[in-house]
Amino acid sequence: MNLSHSYQTLPDTFYKVVSPSAFKEPFTVIYNHALASELGLQLTKLQIKEWLSGLYLPPFAKPIAQAYAGHQFGHFNMLGDGRAILLGEIKNAQNELFDLQLKGAGPTEYSRRGDGKCALSSALREYIYSECMHALGIDSTRSLAVVGTGDTIYRQELEQGAVLTRIAKSHIRFGTFEYAAHYGTIQDLEALVNYTLQRHFPNMQNKKNKAIALLQSVIEKQMKLIVQWMRVGFIHGVLNTDNMSISGQTIDFGPCAFMNAYDANTVYSQIDTNGRYAFGKQAAMAHWNLVRFAETLLPLIHIEQREAITMATDILESANSIFALEYNAMMHAKIGIAKPTQDNMPFIENLFSWMQKNKADYTNTFLHLMNKKDLQDELYNTTEWKNLVHDWEQILLQNQVSKEEALILMQKNNPNYIPRNNHVDVLINNCVNSGSIDELEKFLQQMQSTYNVEIAAIGLCTFKEDSSFSTHCNT
Ligand code: AMP
Ligand code: MG
């Protein structure tokens, strides 16, 4: 495995050298052949289970745990990779660099009271959600493999342990900058800014004010990412600053879930008791996180703090307009209109009120608007719904968009399938209890055609909203 280690060119305060735990009897649960081939990896069955469990190190591995801090539910903490070990970086055929990280491969210096391990069910959850996000066309870390460790770990109950191999554009988090600002020197912070620009925003490297260039780039990436989440009803669940990637990928799939019935206040995570990270609050929370990120950069933005704050505030304000612009464009695309105008807003607002009032499924409502066959739900036989469809047809006329044109755009923006919460639980349980991944692989295969025009979406589109459904951070 041709691993490189650009991250280790940073000052050594940013990481600790570690060794993965050697789990004696690893067994491969699932391996992502498609991703492996994208990365040009050709591993034997033995290498998959031995290297991707941490039993043996692949050639050129130089394992480290990364340091980071973060605001968790609003409170600052020192964190770091407590159960993740970076083996190194790998290049794909397009010369793009990715981290190869083992999650659950044993304790590190940052584990605090944790055991450094990962439950098989959690590893599978991350595997499923990250691969589904990718299939939905949303930037996300990927999952290369889940390898069982053969040991038993204690969470809410006894569980099988596993190691997830995560592939990410990098694991630099907002919290990495918070760590540098809080515990490092100004030189450490500067080194991190330079490294991040070089790795993720190379076009910005020559800007006069690098910190401002980085802030602007990160704001844009994050706002665009959240809009994509809103498009498909994704709720991250634990949008702490340590769970936001500088690269703009969706990262850390803990208590995440997809919304069924539309309600901006939807929260599934048991630990999010105040609804801080509810579906409709994600943009505001991402903005709050961006402010924390901007604060770390102040000493590099301007030598005078007051001036630095003014400059950062100006740019942070642009986040709201970027979000509004992107969100409008996305919502218009969901109803088949490529050029957003304010005139269409009343219709969009009516559609949302109707969904909220009728507890209509977010995904399926747009499929019904597209008149997808084989979807049967009485809700869409009501006069109120038919009136909405009529209004939509009028809107298309006003916008001089033909139905054919509209449907082409809608098809690209409205998925046939999403990972339904109850369904994901069934897939995970089947896999944990029987060791069979057939159903799971079949589902992930189906997700590949989530935007396919011909798909009737029988079965997977129907949903039973389980009002008691909740997710927990079973890490
Ligand atoms: P997360 O819930 O994944 O955002 O993790 C928050 C912090 O807790 C990170 O610093 C993790 O490394 C750490 N952590 C989570 N689970 C464990 C565990 N089982 N052992 C050690 N550290 C953990
Ligand atoms: Mg995390």
Side-chain angles (χ1 to χ4, degrees), residues 149-164:
T149 55
D151 72 338
T152 307
I153 62 178
Y154 189 73
R155 291 295 180 260
Q156 266 132 335
E157 51 192 358
L158 287 178
E159 294 218 29
Q160 302 174 55
V163 175
L164 172 92

Side-chain angles (χ1 to χ4, degrees), residues 256-299:
C256 66
F258 276 73
M259 180 171 63
N260 289 318
Y262 173 75
D263 182 350
N265 295 318
T266 306
V267 175
Y268 289 107
S269 169
Q270 279 171 8
I271 54 170
D272 192 3
T273 39
N274 293 323
R276 181 180 170 92
Y277 298 133
F279 176 71
K281 283 206 189 143
Q282 297 185 110
M285 286 298 111
H287 192 273
W288 191 90
N289 291 343
L290 283 163
V291 178
R292 303 287 83 74
F293 173 59
E295 283 166 358
T296 72
L297 297 173
L298 290 177

Side-chain angles (χ1 to χ4, degrees), residues 111-165:
S111 296
R112 293 166 290 158
R113 276 161 297 162
D115 57 7
K117 296 178 185 179
C118 182
L120 174 58
S121 57
S122 310
L124 288 168
R125 259 183 88 74
E126 172 147 354
Y127 190 104
I128 294 169
Y129 279 106
S130 63
E131 289 309 301
C132 286
M133 289 301 265
H134 179 71
L136 286 161
I138 300 175
D139 205 356
S140 169
T141 63
R142 306 284 308 273
S143 297
L144 181 63
V146 173
V147 179
T149 55
D151 72 338
T152 307
I153 62 178
Y154 189 73
R155 291 295 180 260
Q156 266 132 335
E157 51 192 358
L158 287 178
E159 294 218 29
Q160 302 174 55
V163 175
L164 172 92
T165 304

Side-chain angles (χ1 to χ4, degrees), residues 350-363:
N350 285 346
L351 181 63
F352 274 81
S353 321
W354 179 86
M355 280 194 281
Q356 174 109 28
K357 188 178 95 187
N358 293 286
K359 297 190 171 36
D361 184 73
Y362 184 60
T363 305

Side-chain angles (χ1 to χ4, degrees), residues 68 83 173 242-243 252:
Y68 54 88
R83 50 146 176 188
R173 301 150 189 273
D242 54 305
N243 292 337
D252 277 358

Side-chain angles (χ1 to χ4, degrees), residues 363-372 375 414-416 457 461:
T363 305
N364 289 356
T365 295
F366 290 94
L367 296 176
H368 276 277
L369 200 57
M370 294 162 74
N371 201 17
K372 280 246 163 189
L375 283 171
N414 295 307
N416 292 313
C461 265

